[in-house]
Amino acid sequence: MQKSWSASFSPGRPVSLVKSLGILRRGQGDPTIRISETEAWLAFSTPEGPATLHISKPLRLGPAEFRAWGPGGEWAVHSAPNLLGAGDDWSEFDDLLHRGLFPEIVVRSRAEHPDLVLPATGRIFEHAIGAILEQRVTGIEANYAWRWLIRHHGQPAPGPVPVGLRIFPSAQELAPLRRWDWQVARVEGKRAEAIRNFVQASGALNWWADKPLDQPKPTAKAPGTLESALGSVPGIGPWTIAETLQRSHGSTDHISVGDFHLADFVGQVLTGRRINDQQMLELMAPFAPHRQRVVRLLGLSGERKQSFGPRYAPLDHRQR
């Protein structure tokens, strides 16, 4: 019988596991996570070692029960409230909303989805690698590479867990991979090189894992923030930074500039026309520091981006 840790947490507001934790899942077949309306299973690495976390939350307005296994189980239970919005304060946003700052569609979506929170995992490495895998390729290709790395280089989740639940490989487990390994995973040279660069830098970046986003590291070059440190890694740009910080720190403001669909979607919903990234930034500027909240609410609004042109076909990297 494996040792386990448990705790309870009352968010004090409605929280939907699917809406809130869904951003952590990379495709429906992600081996690291299982989510339903009433429970979630998450497997991940912690500073103390691998862990499995089970969240039971039968009611949107009710408390959550946490239970964790593995060497990192105690860490997982201690940090679990941050997954359910313990550090995500919507009071300023709601005040601005009531004062008429936001468009009607955002007001309506907030009223229809008060159970959305922005989770903060404190895990920089796996979210950054997941974002790198999604650079310039389809979701199908990125999710295949994510699953391949977990299946071949990850490890089984500790504890009595659902079949197939596994942990994403650590920096030490990814470091030995060679060119042919990345080819089999359908990861071409540029993304593989960016991952190698990030693996080398990940130890220093972990200093920010439990720190506020804007906290400077005393030994880092000015401005010394996590955002600037991520941007100093070759192959890491604004899109990858935003995708990482939205998950690791529950960033309320980072939006994914450079996304293949986002600017068009935001423009269509808010202006009725397609726009580019610069126009999106100008359009969203009045909503800072809540731009990511606005994006998430637009995504839940029921609006969909119009499709133009053929789909982007998956690439075959096996002979590259």
Side-chain angles (χ1 to χ4, degrees):
M1 195 74 174
Q2 292 194 39
K3 182 179 180 180
S4 65
W5 289 262
S6 59
S8 299
F9 172 65
S10 295
R13 55 178 163 174
V15 175
S16 164
L17 296 181
V18 172
K19 295 174 189 174
S20 303
L21 299 182
I23 192 174
L24 305 180
R25 179 168 54 191
R26 298 190 181 277
Q28 292 298 319
D30 187 343
T32 68
I33 188 169
R34 306 279 192 278
I35 315 173
S36 73
E37 294 292 345
T38 59
E39 68 173 350
W41 291 88
L42 302 93
F44 48 85
S45 296
T46 80
E48 308 299 326
T52 299
L53 175 67
H54 178 246
I55 304 173
S56 176
K57 196 173 186 302
L59 302 173
R60 286 194 319 155
L61 273 167
E65 299 292 331
F66 304 133
R67 191 174 182 189
W69 297 264
E74 186 174 13
W75 186 97
V77 163
H78 178 74
S79 64
N82 291 325
L83 296 173
L84 302 186
D88 183 29
D89 184 0
W90 285 70
S91 58
E92 181 185 68
F93 178 91
D94 289 334
D95 180 60
L96 295 172
L97 185 120
H98 293 144
R99 287 160 51 189
L101 175 66
F102 298 108
E104 179 58 34
I105 190 171
V106 176
V107 176
R108 174 171 57 81
S109 188
R110 174 64 173 153
E112 293 175 351
H113 303 284
D115 50 359
L116 169 69
V117 300
L118 305 187
T121 69
R123 306 192 305 270
I124 299 169
F125 180 77
E126 68 181 80
H127 300 313
I129 299 300
I132 293 171
L133 291 174
E134 293 182 352
Q135 292 176 354
R136 301 179 299 275
V137 297
T138 66
I140 293 173
E141 287 293 285
N143 293 338
Y144 175 89
W146 177 259
R147 294 192 302 269
W148 189 92
L149 290 172
I150 294 168
R151 187 166 60 250
H152 292 277
H153 297 282
Q155 57 181 298
V161 302
V163 175
L165 196 70
R166 294 180 66 84
I167 294 173
F168 188 77
S170 65
Q172 293 74 23
E173 290 165 325
L174 290 184
L177 269 62
R178 297 293 179 259
R179 178 174 176 268
W180 48 88
D181 297 310
W182 293 112
Q183 288 176 329
V184 175
R186 300 182 190 171
V187 179
E188 90 298 335
K190 287 187 177 180
R191 285 184 296 153
E193 182 63 25
I195 290 174
R196 285 192 289 268
N197 293 335
F198 193 83
V199 165
Q200 294 175 0
S202 60
L205 293 170
N206 283 334
W207 183 88
W208 282 277
D210 60 350
K211 306 291 192 303
L213 263 183
D214 57 354
Q215 182 164 332
K217 186 178 183 180
T219 58
K221 183 179 179 180
T225 61
L226 175 56
E227 181 175 3
S228 63
L230 287 169
S232 70
V233 179
I236 306 296
W239 182 88
T240 304
I241 293 171
E243 290 286 311
T244 301
L245 300 184
Q246 290 163 13
R247 294 162 174 81
S248 67
H249 286 72
S251 173
T252 65
D253 198 49
H254 282 86
I255 52 177
S256 304
V257 176
D259 190 274
F260 189 71
H261 301 284
L262 184 61
D264 285 343
F265 172 68
V266 170
Q268 176 186 309
V269 173
L270 296 184
T271 71
R273 60 186 178 86
R274 302 175 76 184
I275 60 176
N276 58 34
D277 281 331
Q278 183 57 42
Q279 292 169 322
M280 177 180 68
L281 290 174
E282 294 170 358
L283 181 64
M284 297 285 284
F287 308 145
H290 302 288
R291 294 178 299 172
Q292 177 59 17
R293 296 193 199 280
V294 171
V295 168
R296 295 292 302 281
L297 288 171
L298 291 178
L300 291 171
S301 68
E303 295 288 333
R304 294 291 180 266
K305 184 175 88 72
Q306 291 178 314
S307 297
F308 297 91
R311 290 180 177 270
Y312 182 55
L315 302 177
D316 187 344
H317 304 290
R318 287 172 293 180
Q319 302 302 320
R320 297 190 175 196

